[in-house]
Amino acid sequence: MEINLLGPLEILRDGVVLTPSAPKLRTVFSLLVVQANSVVRTDQIIDELWEDNPPASVTTTLQTYIYQLRKLLQLAVPPDARPAGDIGGPEAAAALRTSPHGYVLALATETLDSLRFAQLADQGRAELESGEVLAAAETLSAALRLWRGPALVDVSPGPSLQAEILRLEEMRKSALERRIEADLQLGRHHELLGELTRLAAQQPTHEGFQARLMLALYRAGRRSEALKVYHRARGVLATELGLDPSSKLQQLHHSVLAADRSLDPPSSRASVRVAKRSRPPRQLPPEGPALVGREPQVASALEALSTSERHAPPIVLVVGPPGSGKSALSTRAAHLASDRYPDGQLYARMLAPDGRPVDPGDVLAEFLRSIGVADEQVPESTGERCRLFRTCTADRRILITLDDAVSMGQLLPLVPSNGGCGLLVTGRRRLAAPAVTATVELRPLSAQEGMRLFSNALGEHVVSQDRQAVRELILLCDGLPAALHTAAARLKVRPHWPLARLARWVSAEIARPGASSNDALKLYTSVERTYRLASPALRTAFRLLSELDVSPLSPAVAACALDTTEAHSECLLDDLVDFQLVQADPGTKPDLPRYRLLPILRAVGRQLPREEEGILPDHVHRRIPAQQDTDNAWNELRVGHEPVS
């Protein structure tokens, strides 16, 4: 379970949002969360909800709220749970328990974004006090990124929650001030001007923000504007609070007037020295559900990373159809290999959310900052960034994980020169180049592996109720882990559904028109992104071949469907194999190639939007090819028929 309080209340279980819509339920749950693993008295909950005007049936109403929370959020106490008085520690499973005087929400502490924020804020404060300025700036920035808006902004607070909201807001302000202080010490005054101008305008009596804005303006060569900030702050303090500026703000004013050299920005050399004291970057994303049926592939990736040939860093490429779990496998392998790379692990997504390839120059800039290069020392051009990155990593052992790389041109600038480094890369297509040490290919899970996945996700007692329905689900999802996990998550949200109904839901989702807005199985978006990376000819070929219910598919049949020669259709099919939209079928005759479209990918192909065709026709034109087996090709093209032998 994941619970987020720093913004609108958000409750997720296995990636599914379960936040209650009823205002009273949100209030009760929020109160239980902020006092997690402690008894919340019944009278405190009543006071929070109704203050001095509780309803006559207040006890029954509160019990109903607790029942609804347990049911909606799956917080029922298991039969073998500890007694109500035994609250347990951070390892206790999420459960809402009844005590003699109230209720206890047992939670693992890492599930709360507010506690993660507090831990990062404390860590950043300690780093700043010990002189690790760059590390402090990064840690405090990570803490502040957890905030999505005012804490519990969509919850109606009573007295207890209001006090907690004020406490969290003060912690946020404190962390923000420290992060700005770290950035100023790193010479980032130009970058801070916009943020500080906004903060100073929003909180005109906050002397800390006024002082830091004055300092940033002075360092940016705008001394007159810095003096105006002081005079404006002095006027607001006198008008609204009847106070003079603090001695610290007055001293800063005098220093600005005197152009005191102590206000000058730190030198570049100082910035680099501070940066080198920072902790190694640890950017790997967290692991998801346990992998099933991927043990050999994980072992292959780890073996390739540990290759003894160290003239160049090993590059391990993980490929597979959309939804086959490439990212999950690379993340797992990266975590297992992290001990071999003591100088850090870097991570980047190479495909933007809108489907556009990410500029490797932008990734290099982020990597350079992560390993300690100050902003002003990051070169402008991609070539210079590449050379500096190789210089900075020449004596380091760093693991680089790149998700969704689309070409070698995008990948090669990110390769260090040191053979002690390593790269784990997931690709939406095969990348053929001598630099690639090994390619790990993921196939759909077998029926047995799919059964194990469902057992891990739902429990063997659920799977044993209808194994035939589970087999049907595995077949419908073509053994793709992403679709199987999504189906299992759906059943957790609808625990009253029988497995047969889940199978019907999956079948209906596959058949419905696709779009990113209703991509319930999380496959349409993935397939479409791969599809958009292909050439117009390949996009047309994939969409037209998706209309054929033929498996396996021969080049002769594809030639008829695409109105082209058999040789050209075979080239198109091989290119689609490279993009993992079509699978090569070894067959019994190597000289007669065969291909397969996974039914679920074929269904998505039929849902893709039609676009202007320039190379192939926009309909299936069944021309008789000049090659042998013409009659066989015609028979195969009859939709719904098996190939004729």
Side-chain angles (χ1 to χ4, degrees):
M1 175 174 278
E2 181 180 345
I3 301 170
N4 298 320
L5 309 180
L6 305 181
L9 176 64
E10 186 178 58
I11 307 164
L12 301 99
R13 186 182 283 274
D14 298 324
V16 179
V17 178
L18 301 178
T19 312
S21 57
K24 295 291 188 187
L25 289 184
R26 290 205 300 271
T27 301
V28 172
F29 186 76
S30 299
L31 183 61
L32 292 167
V33 167
V34 300
Q35 300 187 49
N37 301 314
S38 300
V39 176
V40 182
R41 300 189 320 275
T42 302
D43 60 336
Q44 184 182 1
I45 301 175
I46 293 172
D47 186 48
E48 190 74 15
L49 291 174
W50 296 286
E51 297 192 17
D52 297 328
N53 298 298
S57 57
V58 62
T59 301
T60 303
T61 302
L62 181 56
Q63 289 172 346
T64 301
Y65 291 160
I66 297 297
Y67 167 78
Q68 290 174 339
L69 286 173
R70 282 176 175 153
K71 181 179 179 181
L72 175 64
L73 305 179
Q74 304 168 38
L75 293 173
V77 180
D80 58 347
R82 300 171 181 171
D86 188 1
I87 296 171
E91 301 301 323
L96 180 49
R97 308 177 184 184
T98 302
S99 83
H101 305 291
Y103 299 95
V104 178
L105 181 61
L107 283 178
T109 54
E110 64 270 14
T111 62
L112 291 175
D113 65 344
S114 57
L115 292 181
R116 294 197 301 273
F117 165 74
Q119 291 166 356
L120 287 171
D122 287 343
Q123 178 183 327
R125 175 187 53 77
E127 289 168 342
L128 187 60
E129 291 173 354
S130 64
E132 298 180 41
V133 183
L134 183 65
E138 293 174 349
T139 302
L140 292 166
S141 294
L144 292 166
R145 282 196 296 270
L146 294 174
W147 285 76
R148 299 164 292 114
L152 294 172
V153 67
D154 60 346
V155 174
S156 300
S160 296
L161 280 180
Q162 188 61 51
E164 177 66 15
I165 290 170
L166 291 174
R167 184 185 74 86
L168 289 171
E169 180 59 27
E170 287 302 316
M171 289 176 61
R172 187 191 69 81
K173 286 182 183 179
S174 178
L176 179 59
E177 285 190 78
R178 290 193 176 98
R179 197 226 76 213
I180 291 172
E181 179 61 33
D183 284 342
L184 284 170
Q185 290 188 36
L186 291 169
R188 298 172 178 171
H189 41 275
H190 287 288
E191 294 89 336
L192 287 170
L193 283 175
E195 180 182 15
L196 282 171
T197 299
R198 173 178 56 81
L199 290 170
Q202 290 175 343
Q203 302 183 57
T205 60
H206 193 296
E207 294 185 68
F209 291 148
Q210 309 301 322
R212 288 172 175 84
L213 177 57
M214 288 176 63
L215 181 58
L217 287 167
Y218 176 84
R219 288 181 174 178
R222 297 158 64 175
R223 186 161 59 147
S224 63
E225 293 176 59
L227 294 172
K228 288 179 182 178
V229 170
Y230 174 79
H231 291 299
R232 184 169 60 245
R234 184 178 64 178
V236 170
L237 288 168
T239 302
E240 296 190 11
L241 303 177
L243 298 174
D244 290 327
S246 65
S247 59
K248 185 176 181 180
L249 195 60
Q250 292 184 43
Q251 180 58 49
L252 177 61
H253 175 237
H254 291 313
S255 297
V256 171
L257 286 171
D260 193 327
R261 294 296 301 274
S262 66
L263 300 183
D264 289 349
S267 65
S268 298
R269 179 177 297 179
S271 296
V272 173
R273 183 173 62 252
V274 171
K276 286 184 176 179
R277 296 175 59 187
S278 65
R279 295 175 298 107
R282 310 291 185 193
Q283 297 179 353
L284 292 177
E287 295 189 62
L291 298 182
V292 173
R294 300 305 193 201
E295 295 81 4
Q297 290 84 359
V298 171
S300 296
L302 294 175
E303 181 180 2
L305 283 174
S306 61
T307 178
S308 58
E309 186 177 333
R310 287 300 193 185
H311 302 301
I315 301 176
V316 182
L317 176 64
V318 182
V319 298
S324 58
K326 300 182 290 294
S327 299
L329 184 135
S330 67
T331 301
R332 173 61 176 160
H335 278 284
L336 290 173
S338 60
D339 289 343
R340 305 176 191 171
Y341 302 93
D343 297 314
Q345 298 90 46
L346 300 172
Y347 174 84
R349 290 190 61 86
M350 304 306 291
L351 208 60
D354 62 0
R356 292 181 296 106
V358 173
D359 186 343
D362 294 340
V363 178
L364 280 169
E366 289 298 320
F367 282 359
L368 287 168
R369 295 186 188 101
S370 297
I371 60 178
V373 177
D375 280 353
E376 63 270 19
Q377 294 175 319
V378 176
E380 290 296 325
S381 72
T382 298
E384 290 176 315
R385 290 175 181 178
C386 178
R387 288 189 287 274
L388 179 58
F389 182 64
R390 290 173 181 169
T391 300
C392 292
T393 56
D395 58 352
R396 305 191 194 196
R397 296 175 61 88
I398 291 177
L399 177 63
I400 300 168
T401 302
L402 304 176
D403 208 4
D404 273 345
V406 300
S407 68
M408 290 304 298
Q410 192 189 35
L411 169 61
L412 289 177
L414 305 173
V415 179
S417 58
N418 177 16
C421 297
L423 287 91
L424 264 171
V425 184
T426 68
R428 290 188 173 268
R429 59 172 301 182
R430 297 175 188 271
L431 302 177
V436 176
T437 307
T439 298
V440 178
E441 185 163 354
L442 303 186
R443 293 285 185 179
L445 299 179
S446 66
Q448 183 178 5
E449 292 165 344
M451 195 74 71
R452 279 174 50 203
L453 185 150
F454 266 96
S455 296
N456 290 350
L458 300 173
E460 177 61 27
H461 66 286
V462 176
V463 172
S464 62
Q465 295 173 7
D466 193 346
R467 293 187 180 275
Q468 183 56 40
V470 176
R471 293 188 186 94
E472 182 181 356
L473 282 163
I474 297 167
L475 186 63
L476 284 167
C477 296
D478 285 322
L480 295 177
L484 293 172
H485 277 297
T486 303
R490 185 70 176 185
L491 194 62
K492 291 180 181 180
V493 181
R494 302 284 189 272
H496 57 283
W497 278 13
L499 287 162
R501 181 172 179 184
L502 178 63
R504 292 195 299 272
W505 176 80
V506 170
S507 180
E509 287 299 324
I510 292 172
R512 71 188 296 186
S516 58
S517 60
N518 60 16
D519 187 16
L521 288 175
K522 313 299 182 190
L523 278 178
Y524 181 91
T525 301
S526 182
V527 174
E528 186 188 39
R529 285 184 176 180
T530 302
Y531 171 82
R532 295 298 178 193
L533 294 173
S535 66
L538 283 184
R539 292 201 296 268
T540 301
F542 175 66
R543 198 168 49 73
L544 294 179
L545 293 175
S546 297
E547 298 293 335
L548 303 180
D549 287 322
V550 179
S551 184
L553 180 66
S554 68
V557 171
C560 291
L562 303 178
D563 193 19
T564 187
T565 65
E566 187 171 346
H568 187 216
S569 73
E570 186 173 345
C571 290
L572 290 170
L573 286 165
D574 285 337
D575 287 344
L576 287 171
V577 170
D578 287 345
F579 276 91
Q580 303 295 308
L581 294 174
V582 170
Q583 292 189 310
D585 188 304
T588 57
K589 299 179 181 179
D591 57 334
L592 293 176
R594 291 289 186 269
Y595 304 85
R596 293 182 184 273
L597 276 76
L598 293 176
I600 198 167
L601 298 189
R602 182 189 293 125
V604 174
R606 292 172 177 173
Q607 299 164 3
L608 291 168
R610 302 177 73 85
E611 55 189 12
E612 183 178 352
E613 313 288 354
I615 298 177
L616 298 171
D618 61 358
H619 64 282
V620 177
H621 180 66
R622 300 174 180 173
R623 181 180 59 80
I624 302 177
Q627 290 76 12
Q628 294 180 337
D629 299 327
T630 304
D631 292 339
N632 191 30
W634 268 106
N635 283 323
E636 289 180 36
L637 272 173
R638 290 184 297 176
V639 176
H641 285 71
E642 292 295 325
V644 178
S645 59

